[in-house]
């Protein structure tokens, strides 16, 4: 099924192809790696949450990448805190720093932390993607933008992902 998904879809010219897989080193991972070798991917970005249980699984993913010769471009710590919809301050609800520690331990670049952002969740779930989410004032007059891209750029996570993308662009140049 992985091969069919990758081969039977017209992707056009791509800068990036993101494949989100569950933790582990299953047959799906092997199939994706085997099929993509033809295009010589630049590498993988590994994503983890900061908790010890997730870190143990991701360490297996890192070892898997090394065994199959897939370079690791870096590691992102996901769900690393919660962005307050009222003041945009990030609070560490769960543990934090596990991803950065794992990156150091495995000698791979740490790309950053991505917290939970309720405004991004609202944007993704709302029907009109040009309305700027504001969980702080749900009854307020909605602010509009010309496109979903501009709406997304108002979310705190867009700044974080822009930094991660800039780091990857620089390392791949």
């Amino acid at each position: 099924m992985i091969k069919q998904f990758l081969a039977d879809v017209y992707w056009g010219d791509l800068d990036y192809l993101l494949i989100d897989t569950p933790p582990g080193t299953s047959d799906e991972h092997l199939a994706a790696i085997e099929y993509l070798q033809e295009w010589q991917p630049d590498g993988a970005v590994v994503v983890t949450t900061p908790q010890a249980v997730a870190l143990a699984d991701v360490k297996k993913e890192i070892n898997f990448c090394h065994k199959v010769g897939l370079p690791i471009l870096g590691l992102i710590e996901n769900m690393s805190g919660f962005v307050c919809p009222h003041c945009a301050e990030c609070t560490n609800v769960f543990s934090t720093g596990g991803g950065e520690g794992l990156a150091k331990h495995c000698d791979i670049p740490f790309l950053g932390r991505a917290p939970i952002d309720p405004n991004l969740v609202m944007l993704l779930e709302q029907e009109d993607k040009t309305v700027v989410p504001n969980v702080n004032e749900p009854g307020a007059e909605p602010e509009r933008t010309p496109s979903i891209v501009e709406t997304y750029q108002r979310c705190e996570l867009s700044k974080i992902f822009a930094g991660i993308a800039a780091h990857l662009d620089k390392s791949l140049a």
Side-chain angles (χ1 to χ4, degrees), residues 70-93:
L70 181 66
I72 299 173
L73 303 174
L75 184 141
I76 298 171
E77 185 177 284
N78 195 22
M79 296 192 326
S80 184
F82 174 81
V83 176
C84 176
H86 302 286
C87 67
E89 182 179 326
C90 186
T91 303
N92 293 318
V93 179

Side-chain angles (χ1 to χ4, degrees), residues 40-158:
Q40 301 173 337
D42 291 318
V45 173
V46 180
V47 180
T48 186
T49 57
Q51 295 83 13
V53 130
L55 296 170
D57 279 343
V58 170
K59 196 170 188 179
K60 292 176 190 174
E61 291 283 342
I62 292 168
N63 290 332
F64 171 80
C65 288
H66 290 309
K67 285 180 184 175
V68 299
L70 181 66
I72 299 173
L73 303 174
L75 184 141
I76 298 171
E77 185 177 284
N78 195 22
M79 296 192 326
S80 184
F82 174 81
V83 176
C84 176
H86 302 286
C87 67
E89 182 179 326
C90 186
T91 303
N92 293 318
V93 179
F94 307 111
S95 60
T96 189
E100 186 171 12
L102 180 60
K104 283 180 185 171
H105 175 77
C106 295
D107 196 30
I108 57 177
F110 180 68
L111 300 176
R113 292 179 179 83
I116 299 166
D117 182 349
N119 280 324
L120 179 63
V121 173
M122 183 183 272
L123 168 62
L124 297 173
E125 291 181 353
Q126 69 191 19
E127 191 172 321
D128 185 349
K129 305 296 187 205
T130 64
V131 174
V132 177
N134 186 351
V135 296
N136 190 24
E137 299 177 39
E141 183 67 31
E143 181 183 350
R144 294 190 176 277
T145 65
S147 71
I148 186 174
V149 172
E150 291 182 38
T151 307
Y152 164 70
Q153 290 170 339
R154 303 278 183 95
C155 295
E156 289 300 310
L157 270 179
S158 72

